[in-house]
Amino acid sequence: MLTLKLLRENPQYVVERLAVKNFDASETVERILEQDRIRRSCQTELDAALSAQKAKAKEIGSLMQQGRKEDAEAAKKEVARMKEHSRMIEVRMEESQKLQNDLLVQLPNLPDEIVPPGKNADDNVVVRMGGEIPQLPDGALPHWELAAKYDIIDFDLGVKLTGAGFPVYKGRGAKLQRSLIQYFLDFNTKAGYMEIEPPVMVNEASAFATGQLPDKEGQMYFASQDKFYLVPTAEVPVTNIYRDTILSQSDFPVKMTAYTPCFRREAGSYGKDVRGLNRLHQFDKVEIVQLSLPEASERALNEMVLHVERLVNSLGLPYRIVRLCGGDMSFTSAVTYDFEVFSAAQQRWLEVSSVSNFKSYQANRLKLRYKDSEGRTNLAHTLNGSSLALPRIVAAILENNQTPDGINIPKVLQEYTRFVRID
């Protein structure tokens, strides 16, 4: 959530930056500032009313001591009237505060200055590429056919048990899945990230704090009886560990990693984008989260991008890193880098990770603060990234490593899988 201080001091800058996200904020910003003026006016009026009320209340005691009972009774009635007037001011102020907050949460985070303008993924900027795209023999199969050929992932059984988008991993497919999770966690913890095992359901306060609400209600699965949301990413529970927390400067950076299954409705997805593992309703993902001092968050973002790049590179997959344009960014992000691996059988790039800096946007909702060396309280910065999302990584591993004799397992995974080939 953007701060009122920023909106008061630079309203035109906010409007101009949000235009990069193709978001017209002019009317909303104006309404927020109008409610802010009303609220502050009410506060001034309330302070004066309470001060007068206090003085009148003191007067009652003096009148009673002087034996002026009738004047004292009149003063009591006046105090009662003043209390009612103060309460009316409070109600107006609360209404204005609520409207102001309701408007504030409608504003996305400001895109960073390095974010390119654009409407969709076609306008994203490729930062760099790595790895070699394999030349597959004629007759190479997409991963969903390989999964059936080697009986390692059963999509039809998933439909029977639950529905489309809930695959069943079997045999060496299940072992590959588990090995990837363990490898990713080990890779992250060796880099200084503390492993967390969080709940996979969160309450409304947690979903709001990281920006899933009120932006993504339609994408999340909701347990209505308990009012819990199934997590769309481990970012939500892990970041919320520090909700309503005040840290000290010496606590930074805070680095955490977690594995969770993730649940997303993926409403509106269709066609080739949903074949096989390309787009699922339930999938496994390992996440990295950092909490940073504001002056260090850009460096932290670059560090996280390099970390994920090393991880993707270690799997021997061809990849590219793209900086998202304003129109393709999330509601809460200030700058995002996506990682895409090349699917040789499908001849297309598949997103496997997003690494984002949210700056103080999430922290403002979280009330995640720290005290600086002079004792002042400031908002921290939050960052996260996929490290990595499994489905499309598995798809690329299966497709890019297929041979006439089977599917070769990347060397870094062989100590985890205890097999070198799926055949």
Side-chain angles (χ1 to χ4, degrees):
M1 189 163 66
L2 300 179
T3 64
L4 274 172
K5 183 175 184 292
L6 174 63
L7 289 167
R8 288 171 187 153
E9 294 176 354
N10 297 290
Q12 189 55 38
Y13 175 76
V14 171
V15 171
E16 290 171 359
R17 291 312 302 159
L18 288 181
V20 176
K21 281 191 170 182
N22 304 310
F23 187 93
D24 185 357
S26 53
E27 182 180 345
T28 304
V29 169
E30 186 177 329
R31 292 177 65 194
I32 290 170
L33 293 176
E34 175 60 24
Q35 292 306 315
D36 185 48
R37 286 189 288 269
I38 293 171
R39 183 189 59 79
R40 288 193 288 173
S41 175
C42 285
Q43 184 66 67
T44 301
E45 187 179 354
L46 179 62
D47 291 344
L50 291 175
S51 177
Q53 182 181 311
K54 184 177 180 181
K56 181 61 70 173
K58 286 183 178 180
E59 186 181 314
I60 294 171
S62 177
L63 291 171
M64 291 294 289
Q65 287 179 354
Q66 297 173 32
R68 298 166 58 186
K69 292 184 179 181
E70 289 186 4
D71 291 339
E73 289 300 319
K76 287 180 182 179
K77 291 179 181 179
E78 179 65 11
V79 168
R81 186 195 64 76
M82 295 170 77
K83 284 183 178 179
E84 180 61 25
H85 177 63
S86 295
R87 180 56 192 154
M88 289 173 63
I89 299 172
E90 285 179 341
V91 168
R92 290 205 315 272
M93 189 165 66
E94 289 167 3
E95 289 174 348
S96 181
Q97 180 73 68
K98 183 181 184 306
L99 180 54
Q100 182 184 76
N101 289 339
D102 290 346
L103 291 167
L104 270 171
V105 299
Q106 294 176 24
L107 292 179
N109 196 4
L110 302 188
D112 203 28
E113 298 290 345
I114 64 171
V115 172
K119 294 183 178 180
N120 52 45
D122 294 334
D123 300 314
N124 293 338
V125 176
V126 176
V127 176
R128 60 180 174 271
M129 304 177 70
E132 294 184 8
I133 295 176
Q135 299 300 313
L136 298 183
D138 292 339
L141 301 176
H143 69 271
W144 53 87
E145 292 186 25
L146 292 168
K149 178 180 179 179
Y150 294 105
D151 195 26
I152 54 175
I153 307 172
D154 196 323
F155 296 100
D156 292 334
L157 183 55
V159 172
K160 173 185 176 181
L161 297 179
T162 308
F166 296 88
V168 175
Y169 298 86
K170 302 165 62 178
R172 290 194 167 184
K175 187 65 177 293
L176 174 61
Q177 188 85 348
R178 180 158 51 89
S179 297
L180 280 164
I181 293 167
Q182 189 60 63
Y183 173 60
F184 294 164
L185 287 171
D186 287 350
F187 192 92
N188 295 342
T189 55
K190 286 176 183 175
Y193 289 87
M194 180 176 68
E195 184 175 348
I196 302 290
E197 185 176 346
V200 296
M201 301 183 83
V202 294
N203 56 30
E204 184 177 348
S206 293
F208 171 81
T210 46
Q212 277 64 40
L213 296 178
D215 180 48
K216 296 183 177 68
E217 299 98 323
Q219 291 292 345
M220 291 192 292
Y221 287 96
F222 181 58
S224 57
Q225 184 171 342
D226 303 291
K227 296 185 178 179
F228 292 154
Y229 292 88
L230 288 166
V231 298
T233 167
E235 165 204 348
V236 182
V238 172
T239 309
N240 270 278
I241 290 172
Y242 287 87
R243 174 156 46 93
D244 297 319
T245 300
I246 299 179
L247 301 172
S248 63
Q249 279 187 294
S250 60
D251 293 322
F252 294 97
V254 177
K255 302 170 70 174
M256 299 171 285
T257 184
Y259 153 71
T260 65
C262 302
F263 305 87
R264 298 182 188 179
R265 292 187 182 280
E266 297 291 6
S269 299
Y270 61 91
K272 65 180 181 179
D273 290 339
V274 300
R275 290 295 301 272
L277 298 172
N278 286 346
R279 196 171 294 275
L280 302 175
H281 295 303
Q282 177 182 328
F283 61 94
D284 292 322
K285 182 156 69 80
V286 175
E287 194 81 358
I288 51 174
V289 172
Q290 279 208 44
L291 311 181
S292 169
L293 292 169
E295 61 269 24
S297 70
E298 183 178 348
R299 183 171 68 250
L301 177 65
N302 294 333
E303 173 196 302
M304 291 171 73
V305 169
L306 288 173
H307 174 80
V308 174
E309 184 175 13
R310 286 191 292 268
L311 179 55
V312 174
N313 199 40
S314 74
L315 296 170
L317 296 173
Y319 65 90
R320 67 182 185 184
I321 305 171
V322 298
R323 184 185 299 126
L324 299 193
C325 71
D328 201 30
M329 289 175 64
S330 74
F331 190 86
T332 53
S333 174
V335 58
T336 295
Y337 292 93
D338 272 6
F339 282 77
E340 300 172 345
V341 296
F342 191 75
S343 165
Q346 298 180 69
Q347 287 292 297
R348 54 194 293 250
W349 292 96
L350 303 174
E351 180 199 332
V352 295
S353 174
S354 286
V355 183
S356 300
N357 188 353
F358 304 97
K359 298 198 172 179
S360 63
Y361 190 88
Q362 284 184 335
N364 196 23
R365 290 185 175 211
L366 289 157
K367 294 183 172 57
L368 166 57
R369 296 155 292 175
Y370 72 96
K371 286 190 178 295
D372 62 23
S373 57
E374 298 180 2
R376 295 173 299 194
T377 302
N378 307 283
L379 291 171
H381 280 193
T382 64
L383 310 92
N384 72 45
S386 313
S387 181
L388 295 158
L390 270 72
R392 295 170 187 167
I393 287 289
V394 172
I397 287 174
L398 297 180
E399 293 181 8
N400 294 5
N401 294 289
Q402 61 181 297
T403 73
D405 299 320
I407 301 167
N408 294 327
I409 300 298
K411 286 186 178 180
V412 293
L413 295 178
Q414 291 174 10
E415 65 176 296
Y416 294 90
T417 60
R418 302 299 183 187
F419 55 82
V420 300
R421 184 182 295 110
I422 295 174
D423 50 22

